[in-house]
Amino acid sequence: DILNAYDLTGSYRAAAQLCGCSHHTVKRAVDDRAAGLAPAVRRARSIDNFLPHIEQWVQDTKGKIRADKAHEKLVALGYSGTERTTRRAVAEVKDQWRLGNTRVHRPWITEPGLWLQYDFGDGPVVDGRKVVLLVAWLAWCRYRVVIALRDRTAPSVFAGLDRTFRIIGGAPTYVLTDNEKTVTTGHIAGVPVRNRDAVSFSRYYGTTVLTCEPADPATKGGVENAVKLAKADIVPTDTNLLDTYESFTDVVAACEQFMVEVNDREHRTTGRRPIEMLAEERTRLHPIPDLPHTTGLGVTRQVPKNTPMVSFDHCQYSVPATLLGQSVWVRHHPATDEVIVCALDDGGPAEVARHRRTTRGTPAIDDAHFPDHEPKIPGDYRIRSRNADDHAFLAIGEGAGLWLKEAAAVGTERMREKMRHAVSLAALHTTSDVDWALGHAAVHGRFATGDLDSILAAKDLDQTRHQASETTSLAQGTKGWNMLGTNTTNSNGLADDEEQTR
């Protein structure tokens, strides 16, 4: 049998796999035949009588049984051989079983402009929410597209596919993906039932959305490898040492950077750069409409020209101020109880705002949608000079502005005359001194006529006074208290108190 197998295959290893022996045994038998020697008789093994049991176990478990478990079963049946012999026998039987049951994959050769595959991967976590990576792959030119999504709902996926079509410059004939709920609602007798929204989307772009067979690397292995590559280069892990992302915008920028780098490298299969091959395949793609498919994006709302707020279910939600006067789409996401706002840009539909669902009378506002906005608080008036007198007075400094607010709050009379007097004092004294005096007058509530001059005079007097230090002091010492309680006699022989009385 060994010699016949070798004559059929012409290979030591192939004949060994067919006969269940070592390739060294095949070589020895072939060499003996070439030397004119009689073929050696194979020695009987202690496990030969138990091989039918091993074959049955391998068949029942589809090649999953472990050798140690098989050895335990054989020992229970009376086998007395070693575990090493069992392992060799199980390995031989598994090789024989795989030869007849291995699924053979034929390489998938596609035409330009025919197939686009897409799949999803778990992206980085931003603000406690995991970002979804939509990865698309053109089968012929190996061009990869990575789009960051906030969820995997149908509107988000369709918006991501529209952006993908605009990036590659057209729509292919077929779009292949897994059996997602956004594409397939179920199976009947092995036939997938299409989602009506997916059918409407595919007809709008002149393409056909298909679902692949499960575990079919020949047709969908390319995009699955693209997902692994994108996750390895974008998602921060302990091995790639990437920094965490501060916002969703940072993730979008990382995806764009990844596409630039990976599509500009020479592909090991084609030996060409995908960006170069895309220029050739783009001529085979179908043109896409100027306006994207917006059926699943929600209801249409018009943003007012002066307030970036839209109404949805009798509630108000903010949008970026750059969308003033434009149309947006608003929808409710039941899974997270959020309201999502989408708008159109040069790359297609994109999510521009996401709010927690609010109630009537309580607007949902994102401060980032109101750039350079200063909240107006009643009573906190902004000082603006209206004439030359106001400008001259406010030019003194911050103390002048504080004096103006405080003096106006208490109803000070003849304020303009006092302001002009302060400007005159600023010409006589230094501006910093007058500004200091105005600030002190505002803090202490001194707005009467002459108060500003008094404060300036006190400031000048303080500067001319002698200041005490650690070596000199203006305080009276305690040396005069040393003679307290003692009687001293003067030159007249009288006590001090008698002398004072006299």
Side-chain angles (χ1 to χ4, degrees), residues 14 38 41 94 144 185 197 252 303 339 372 424 468:
V41 180
K94 283 185 177 181
R144 300 177 179 93
T185 59
D197 292 338
V252 175
V303 182
V339 174
D372 302 330
S424 301

Side-chain angles (χ1 to χ4, degrees), residues 11-165:
S11 170
Y12 296 140
R13 295 186 180 275
Q17 291 179 355
L18 293 175
C19 297
C21 61
S22 174
H23 62 280
H24 299 292
T25 303
V26 177
K27 183 177 185 304
R28 185 167 58 252
V30 173
D31 293 341
D32 291 344
R33 184 179 64 175
L37 302 177
V41 180
R42 177 184 175 187
R43 294 181 300 171
R45 298 180 301 176
S46 60
I47 202 172
D48 288 344
N49 295 331
F50 298 91
L51 287 178
H53 297 286
I54 298 178
E55 293 174 355
Q56 185 64 38
W57 296 336
V58 172
Q59 181 68 28
D60 294 341
T61 61
K62 296 182 179 180
K64 302 297 183 182
I65 189 172
R66 293 183 352 218
D68 56 342
K69 295 298 181 181
H71 183 72
E72 294 177 2
K73 292 179 176 292
L74 292 178
V75 172
L77 295 176
Y79 173 66
S80 59
T82 62
E83 186 176 355
R84 180 183 179 185
T85 304
T86 304
R87 290 184 180 276
R88 288 182 175 178
V90 171
E92 294 173 359
V93 174
K94 283 185 177 181
D95 290 339
Q96 294 292 328
W97 181 86
R98 292 192 185 98
L99 287 176
N101 296 274
T102 301
R103 182 182 176 186
V104 180
H105 299 283
R106 182 179 182 272
W108 190 37
I109 302 175
T110 63
E111 300 178 11
L114 202 61
W115 290 96
L116 173 74
Q117 307 169 6
Y118 76 89
D119 202 352
F120 301 95
D122 293 335
V125 178
V126 179
D127 296 333
R129 184 192 299 270
K130 183 178 292 185
V131 178
V132 179
L133 299 180
L134 171 64
V135 182
W137 185 72
L138 273 175
W140 184 78
C141 67
R142 275 79 173 179
Y143 190 88
R144 300 177 179 93
V145 178
V146 182
I147 305 294
L149 305 177
R150 296 185 184 272
D151 53 52
R152 291 177 62 171
T153 58
S156 298
V157 174
F158 294 156
L161 289 177
D162 180 89
R163 299 184 75 87
T164 301
F165 294 159

Side-chain angles (χ1 to χ4, degrees), residues 276-310:
E276 296 177 355
M277 299 183 65
L278 176 63
E280 300 178 15
E281 187 171 5
R282 188 171 289 160
T283 58
R284 304 291 186 90
L285 299 175
H286 307 308
I288 58 177
D290 295 334
L291 294 178
H293 184 267
T294 58
T295 303
L297 296 182
V299 296
T300 307
R301 290 291 185 269
Q302 187 77 16
V303 182
K305 295 183 178 181
N306 56 355
T307 304
M309 302 288 293
V310 294

Side-chain angles (χ1 to χ4, degrees), residues 123-131 150 244-251 338 351 354 356 366 368:
V125 178
V126 179
D127 296 333
R129 184 192 299 270
K130 183 178 292 185
V131 178
R150 296 185 184 272
T244 57
Y245 298 96
E246 298 294 335
S247 63
F248 184 79
T249 306
D250 297 337
V251 182
E338 293 177 325
E351 180 179 322
R354 181 181 290 249
R356 297 293 300 178
D366 186 354

Side-chain angles (χ1 to χ4, degrees), residues 180-206:
E180 299 284 338
K181 291 297 183 181
T182 55
V183 179
T184 303
T185 59
H187 290 75
I188 298 178
V191 178
V193 180
R194 293 286 178 255
N195 190 318
R196 294 185 61 87
D197 292 338
V199 175
S200 175
F201 175 84
S202 61
R203 288 178 178 175
Y204 184 81
Y205 291 96

